[in-house]
C-alpha cells in the first residue's frame, strides 16, 4: 500500500454556497466524508491541519505545512488549499523542501454544493498524481482541471474560471487522463534552502507610467528587509525612481525585479536612463520566470537561511 498524507487547509474546496449565493466555510469540511474513487493501493492519512480562506494564509502557515510534511515518511502528499494564494504556498514548499516524495496542491473554483463543483474531481486527480511513481523528483506540483503544473511557474489567471491555473511562457508539464498520468516536460533543478523561520518585511511595488520616488521614499531600512519591484517590460523603470532606489541599495536593502508582463523574462538589455542595464549595474537583482509574489517568498526564504552578498545573488537569479 502507498500511504498518502492529505493536509486540508480550507479554501473554496472546503466551503459551501448558501441560499443567497454567499460562499463561506462550514462547521465541517465536506471532503472529509466524500466518497473517493482512488487507486486500490492507496491509503489516505487525512488531517485537517487548519481551515482558512486562502487570503488568511501567511508564511507562518506555509512553514507549518513544511514542518508537518518533513515529520512523516509517506509515498506522497496532497494539500487542499484555497486558490487565491495556492501558488505561493506551493512555491514556498518547492523552494524549502526539495525533491523527496511527490507533493501536490489542489483546490476548487466552485464550492462543494455549487453546480459543476470541481473540488472533488481535482482532489481525486491530485491523489492519483501524488501516488504516481513518475511524479517523484519533479518538485512540488499543482493539479487542477486535468493539468499538472510546476509550483515554480504556475499562477492563477482568472477570478472565477475553473481553468484559472496556467503556466505562462512554458505551459503545463503533464496531463491527467481517465486512465493515465502523463508527463511531457522535465523541470530544471534548483537549489532548495532549509529554513526554520520566516521573519522579515518585504513589500511589492508595481511600476507604472509617470512613477516617481514617492512610494519608495515611504520605505526605509528600519521598516523593510527587502523589496520586490514589478517593472515595466523586460525590466525597466521611469528614471524619476532611480534616486530612491539607489538610496535603498546603498543601505544594503536587497531589491529584486520581475516584469509586470504576464509572459516573458526580464533582461538588462536596454541602456537608456532608468532601463535594465542601469538598474543591474546599480545592484538590482533580475529574477526570471516567476511573478512578484513568488519573488517575495524567494527573497524571504533566502534572508532567513540566511544568505548574503554573492550567495544571495546567486540563489536569487538562478531560474
Amino acid at each position: 500500500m502507498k500511504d498518502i498524507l492529505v493536509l486540508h487547509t480550507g479554501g473554496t474546496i472546503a466551503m459551501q454556497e448558501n441560499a443567497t449565493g454567499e460562499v463561506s466555510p462550514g462547521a465541517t469540511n465536506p471532503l472529509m466524508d466524500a466518497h473517493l474513487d482512488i487507486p486500490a493501493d492507496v491509503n489516505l492519512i487525512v488531517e485537517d491541519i487548519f481551515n482558512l480562506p486562502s487570503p488568511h494564509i501567511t508564511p507562518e502557515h506555509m512553514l507549518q505545512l513544511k514542518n508537518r510534511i518533513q515529520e512523516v515518511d509517506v509515498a506522497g502528499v496532497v494539500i487542499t488549499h484555497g486558490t487565491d494564494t495556492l501558488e505561493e504556498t506551493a512555491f514556498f514548499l518547492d523552494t524549502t523542501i526539495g525533491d523527496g516524495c511527490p507533493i501536490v496542491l489542489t483546490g476548487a473554483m466552485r464550492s462543494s454544493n455549487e453546480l459543476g463543483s470541481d473540488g472533488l474531481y481535482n482532489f481525486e486527480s491530485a491523489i492519483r498524481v501524488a501516488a504516481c511513481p513518475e511524479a517523484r523528483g519533479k518538485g512540488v506540483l499543482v493539479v487542477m482541471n486535468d493539468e499538472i503544473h510546476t509550483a515554480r511557474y504556475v499562477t492563477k489567471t482568472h477570478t472565477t474560471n475553473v481553468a484559472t491555473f496556467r503556466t505562462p511562457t512554458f505551459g503545463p508539464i503533464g496531463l491527467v487522463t481517465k486512465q493515465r498520468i502523463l508527463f511531457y516536460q522535465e523541470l530544471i533543478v534548483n537549489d532548495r534552502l532549509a529554513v526554520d523561520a520566516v521573519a522579515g518585511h518585504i513589500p511589492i511595488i508595481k511600476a507604472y507610467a509617470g512613477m516617481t520616488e514617492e512610494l519608495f521614499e515611504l520605505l526605509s531600512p528600519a521598516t523593510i528587509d527587502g523589496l520586490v519591484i514589478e517593472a515595466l517590460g523586460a525590466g525597466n523603470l521611469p528614471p524619476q525612481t532611480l534616486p530612491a532606489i539607489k538610496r535603498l541599495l546603498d543601505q544594503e536593502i536587497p531589491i529584486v525585479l520581475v516584469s509586470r508582463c504576464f509572459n516573458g523574462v526580464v533582461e538588462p538589455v536596454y541602456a537608456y536612463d532608468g532601463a535594465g542595464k542601469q538598474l543591474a549595474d546599480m545592484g538590482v537583482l533580475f529574477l526570471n520566470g516567476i511573478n512578484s509574489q513568488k519573488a517575495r517568498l524567494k527573497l524571504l526564504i533566502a534572508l532567513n537561511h540566511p544568505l548574503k552578498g554573492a550567495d544571495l545573488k546567486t540563489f536569487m537569479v538562478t531560474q
Side-chain angles (χ1 to χ4, degrees):
M1 294 290 289
K2 298 177 182 177
D3 287 334
I4 302 295
L5 175 65
V6 175
L7 298 175
H8 293 307
T9 71
T12 300
I13 194 170
M15 296 182 186
Q16 293 186 329
E17 183 183 61
N18 65 19
T20 62
E22 297 170 336
V23 177
S24 60
T28 59
N29 184 342
L31 290 177
M32 298 295 287
D33 299 321
H35 172 73
L36 297 172
D37 184 13
I38 58 176
D41 62 344
V42 168
N43 175 55
L44 299 183
I45 304 169
V46 183
E47 299 178 12
D48 254 337
I49 191 165
F50 35 81
N51 185 17
L52 296 170
S54 61
H56 295 193
I57 298 291
T58 66
E60 287 75 20
H61 293 113
M62 300 175 194
L63 184 64
Q64 184 180 346
L65 288 168
K66 167 193 168 290
N67 292 339
R68 180 66 187 115
I69 291 168
Q70 293 182 315
E71 289 172 352
V72 296
D73 181 15
V74 292
V77 176
V78 171
I79 300 171
T80 64
H81 198 290
T83 59
D84 284 350
T85 59
L86 184 150
E87 66 192 82
E88 288 163 86
T89 296
F91 182 84
F92 180 89
L93 296 174
D94 187 58
T95 309
T96 57
I97 288 183
D99 291 326
C101 70
I103 300 172
V104 181
L105 280 82
T106 193
M109 296 303 294
R110 297 171 182 163
S111 60
S112 61
N113 62 339
E114 287 184 66
L115 183 65
S117 175
D118 54 331
L120 187 58
Y121 181 81
N122 286 338
F123 184 33
E124 289 183 353
S125 296
I127 293 169
R128 289 177 58 201
V129 173
C132 171
E134 291 79 10
R136 180 173 291 271
K138 289 184 169 56
V140 176
L141 302 172
V142 172
V143 172
M144 297 275 290
N145 203 41
D146 286 335
E147 294 182 338
I148 306 170
H149 296 264
T150 67
R152 194 179 308 166
Y153 299 127
V154 72
T155 191
K156 185 175 181 178
T157 65
H158 195 285
T159 56
T160 57
N161 196 309
V162 294
T164 181
F165 280 91
R166 291 281 184 262
T167 298
T169 304
F170 308 114
I173 66 166
L175 298 174
V176 178
T177 74
K178 296 286 187 184
Q179 298 179 334
R180 302 174 62 191
I181 308 297
L182 303 174
F183 287 96
Y184 295 104
Q185 299 186 58
E186 292 290 336
L187 186 64
I188 298 171
V189 176
N190 273 354
D191 292 334
R192 266 76 176 195
L193 293 181
V195 293
D196 55 16
V198 284
H201 182 210
I202 302 171
I204 299 171
I205 290 181
K206 186 168 187 172
Y208 53 87
M211 190 179 196
T212 65
E213 291 184 275
E214 293 172 336
L215 288 178
F216 296 97
E217 288 176 339
L218 297 175
L219 308 174
S220 74
T223 59
I224 66 171
D225 300 282
L227 176 65
V228 176
I229 301 175
E230 276 192 30
L232 308 171
N236 312 303
L237 292 172
Q240 294 87 349
T241 64
L242 295 180
I245 291 173
K246 185 177 186 304
R247 283 195 293 272
L248 290 172
L249 290 169
D250 288 345
Q251 295 173 86
E252 299 185 343
I253 297 297
I255 299 177
V256 300
L257 180 148
V258 299
S259 177
R260 71 178 194 178
C261 297
F262 182 72
N263 278 297
V265 298
V266 289
E267 290 182 304
V269 293
Y270 287 96
Y272 51 79
D273 197 24
K277 177 66 167 58
Q278 185 178 23
L279 294 170
D281 289 344
M282 289 169 61
V284 174
L285 304 177
F286 281 55
L287 273 66
N288 270 327
I290 62 175
N291 55 31
S292 59
Q293 55 267 37
K294 292 179 181 179
R296 173 185 171 272
L297 284 172
K298 189 171 186 179
L299 182 56
L300 185 69
I301 290 165
L303 294 178
N304 278 275
H305 185 66
L307 296 180
K308 295 182 179 180
D311 291 336
L312 175 65
K313 179 179 180 179
T314 298
F315 176 73
M316 292 304 297
V317 302
T318 301
Q319 192 171 21

